Amino acid sequence: MGLLDDITQAQYYAENDYGNYQFTSLEDIINQFLVAYVREDKIIPKVKKVNVAFHAHRAMQELSFDTFKSIKSQEITLPPSNTMILPQDYVNYTKVCWVDSSGIKHLLYPTSKTSNPTKPQVDSDDDFLFDSSGNLIPSGNLIANGNFIGGSEGWALNETNFSAGTLTSRTATTLTATETLGDPDVGWFYGFDGNAVAAYDLPAGEYWGIRQSNIPIISGEKYKITYTLSGYTSGSWKWYIIDGEGNSSGTTEVTANGTYEETITAGGTDANYAINTVFFRNESTTATGNVVIDNISIVRVGDEETSSTWTNYKSSTPSENQDDYQDDTYWPNNQKRYGLDPQHAQVNGSFYIDDRLGRIHFSSNMSGKTVILDYISDSLGTDGEMQVHKFAEEAMYRWILHAIAAGRIQTQQLVPRLKKEKIAAIRQAKLRLSNIKLEELTQTLRGKSKHIKH
């Protein structure tokens, strides 16, 4: 029976899975290998299907890097941060471009002359700061994904989605069996995991809110507090920071949804609390508090998350935009072009990839532009990706056969021959997948003979 006998043309054109006949699923590759190459009178007398599946996945990965047509792309409009998050299934890039108003790509060049190093916190004497465990304290947001320490009573909230005034899920960590949400003896709501956090039915008065302890607060230093209220219904809310001596400073009270930013100096005299603590509290003496808080950031002024190296790179005008050509003369170098670096001899811009944070950093002239990342994956990200072009199907079989034989003592004498067959099959797959057409090549070569006047 033919491969298309069970699919009519009407069914094909009614669906969206066009052109799929050129591929074979990885599951079919595994099953067909077991039928064709595994039996008592064949090269592989006996093998478990899980072993074949392992080598099939490895073949899929390796061939995806330089044989298959496995290039993916992602387009974004570059935000003011001049950074792009690497895709979930990213392995390596093939090219990075920005697109003009005509839809034409302009190639960006990588730069190796800058980076985004870590920047630990220092005090006024430029001495490093350490936490209670003796580890260097990193710069940036003091509470995002931080160390949330509960007291004798409270809740740890790990929510990611909220409706106003309602928790969609919650995890109790320190409540006893008799304590419930809203119990007057349970005063603090703990925890922020980088997502939204809700304060729900918090009674009016003191000691009700969201708290995090054991973070470094330096007396006399200024701290910028930024946060967003998206589910406010009641209460009067205020942030406090308490330094290492127990002195507290607070922000202005807010009573509405919105994004707020305020800078305060640590070491005030609002009240005395547990040292090195920040908390968000319902100040109202009459109204129960209900609010959803998100995008929480508490950063010491001058000690932002990003390094000075990256800040300078994204804010300065790149050298590749300062060329001034006139009558073929390069004026900034005083008619001399010695030492010109080819990677900077262009006006498109530059980028570098920070593998530690999983982001692409772009030069300042890229801000707001449409950026396209063409990248390579390993074809194992989703079940739908795990398919092989029929031009490379034989290469898959030869790869699996060689890999299994190389791992068995009984078939070591066959390994050299199977290796040669694997290499030949991969070479043939590359030629087929290169998609060279004689007519297109001929037309290109014809253009080479044309003389263009300059």
Side-chain angles (χ1 to χ4, degrees):
M1 183 178 70
L3 297 178
L4 294 178
D5 286 350
D6 59 340
I7 302 176
T8 66
Q9 291 185 348
Q11 290 174 326
Y12 172 76
Y13 287 104
E15 299 177 357
N16 294 323
D17 195 16
Y18 305 135
N20 197 50
Y21 185 71
Q22 61 186 310
F23 297 103
T24 300
S25 70
L26 190 62
E27 183 65 25
D28 286 343
I29 293 286
I30 295 171
N31 292 332
Q32 291 166 12
F33 178 86
L34 290 170
V35 171
Y37 293 95
V38 180
R39 207 168 61 183
E40 290 184 1
D41 57 344
K42 296 190 176 182
I43 295 177
I44 308 297
K46 186 178 181 181
V47 66
K48 293 182 179 180
K49 185 176 181 179
V50 66
N51 293 337
V52 177
F54 169 77
H55 291 297
H57 281 79
R58 288 292 301 125
M60 193 89 180
Q61 286 178 300
E62 291 297 326
L63 294 177
S64 291
F65 300 145
D66 54 15
T67 303
F68 294 164
K69 296 179 179 179
S70 58
I71 296 176
K72 295 185 173 184
S73 63
Q74 186 177 98
E75 174 187 297
I76 69 164
T77 298
L78 203 62
S81 64
N82 275 20
T83 61
M84 177 182 184
I85 298 174
L86 293 177
Q88 183 180 12
D89 58 347
Y90 171 89
V91 174
N92 201 349
Y93 76 93
T94 58
K95 62 181 176 180
V96 182
C97 309
W98 70 272
V99 183
D100 62 22
S101 58
S102 300
I104 303 300
K105 288 183 176 182
H106 298 259
L107 187 64
L108 301 180
Y109 290 86
T111 177
S112 58
K113 304 299 190 295
T114 189
S115 64
N116 185 24
T118 57
K119 178 186 175 185
Q121 290 191 34
V122 295
D123 59 18
S124 57
D125 296 325
D126 289 331
D127 293 327
F128 288 132
L129 295 175
F130 302 90
D131 60 21
S132 58
S133 300
N135 299 316
L136 282 170
I137 301 172
S139 298
N141 194 352
L142 297 182
I143 68 173
N145 299 310
N147 179 23
F148 305 100
I149 298 178
S152 60
E153 44 193 40
W155 286 81
L157 303 183
N158 299 312
E159 292 76 11
T160 57
N161 298 292
F162 299 95
S163 57
T166 303
L167 298 180
T168 59
S169 64
R170 61 177 178 266
T171 302
T173 58
T174 57
L175 291 181
T176 67
T178 59
E179 292 174 324
T180 60
L181 182 66
D183 190 305
D185 294 330
V186 183
W188 288 100
F189 277 60
Y190 295 92
F192 175 65
D193 62 357
N195 300 303
V197 172
Y200 177 56
D201 273 353
L202 299 186
E206 299 291 332
Y207 301 103
W208 293 94
I210 299 169
R211 164 183 167 181
Q212 181 181 321
S213 300
N214 195 28
I215 60 175
I217 302 295
I218 305 172
S219 181
E221 294 288 334
K222 292 184 177 181
Y223 291 84
K224 182 172 67 175
I225 301 177
T226 307
Y227 60 100
T228 299
L229 302 186
S230 58
Y232 174 87
T233 59
S234 59
S236 179
W237 299 93
K238 183 176 180 179
W239 271 104
Y240 287 91
I241 62 173
I242 302 93
D243 65 16
E245 299 177 358
N247 299 315
S248 173
S249 301
T251 60
T252 305
E253 294 182 28
V254 295
T255 57
N257 286 330
T259 298
Y260 300 92
E261 180 178 298
E262 187 172 347
T263 299
I264 61 176
T265 301
T269 57
D270 281 356
N272 292 321
Y273 298 97
I275 64 174
N276 291 329
T277 299
V278 298
F279 61 90
F280 186 64
R281 187 176 74 180
N282 180 15
E283 295 289 304
S284 174
T285 58
T286 58
T288 299
N290 288 281
V291 72
V292 174
I293 181 174
D294 199 1
N295 301 321
I296 310 168
S297 172
I298 300 180
V299 180
R300 190 174 65 147
V301 173
D303 196 27
E304 286 72 17
E305 182 174 4
T306 56
S307 64
S308 300
T309 305
W310 160 234
T311 301
N312 293 338
Y313 174 70
K314 74 174 181 177
S315 61
S316 65
T317 302
S319 59
E320 56 261 29
N321 283 0
Q322 298 176 8
D323 297 344
D324 180 16
Y325 288 96
Q326 181 177 343
D327 297 331
D328 296 326
T329 300
Y330 189 63
W331 294 106
N333 273 351
N334 193 23
Q335 300 185 14
K336 298 178 182 179
R337 304 190 66 175
Y338 304 125
L340 181 66
D341 192 341
Q343 69 173 323
H344 298 301
Q346 45 88 30
V347 296
N348 292 334
S350 58
F351 71 94
Y352 72 92
I353 296 179
D354 186 349
D355 292 312
R356 179 177 63 88
L357 299 178
R359 296 176 184 271
I360 305 177
H361 298 252
F362 294 88
S363 54
S364 62
N365 57 332
M366 290 295 100
S367 182
K369 293 185 181 295
T370 299
V371 174
I372 295 179
L373 168 66
D374 292 331
Y375 67 98
I376 297 173
S377 184
D378 62 358
S379 301
L380 298 180
T382 63
D383 292 341
E385 288 181 293
M386 293 196 298
Q387 54 186 9
V388 179
H389 198 283
K390 290 182 177 178
F391 283 170
E393 187 173 346
E394 185 63 24
M396 286 288 293
Y397 294 138
R398 295 299 172 182
W399 182 295
I400 299 170
L401 184 61
H402 169 261
I404 294 176
R408 300 167 69 94
I409 298 176
Q410 301 88 339
T411 54
Q412 287 300 304
Q413 70 278 11
L414 297 175
V415 171
R417 191 197 84 188
L418 296 178
K419 184 177 181 180
K420 290 181 180 179
E421 293 177 353
K422 180 190 77 169
I423 294 173
I426 293 175
R427 185 187 302 114
Q428 185 180 54
K430 287 182 179 180
L431 289 173
R432 289 174 172 175
L433 291 172
S434 63
N435 203 27
I436 298 175
K437 302 293 189 295
L438 181 59
E439 290 81 1
E440 296 174 1
L441 181 61
T442 302
Q443 183 64 26
T444 301
L445 294 176
R446 286 184 183 136
K448 297 294 184 180
S449 64
K450 294 182 179 179
H451 179 72
I452 301 176
K453 295 182 178 180
H454 294 281

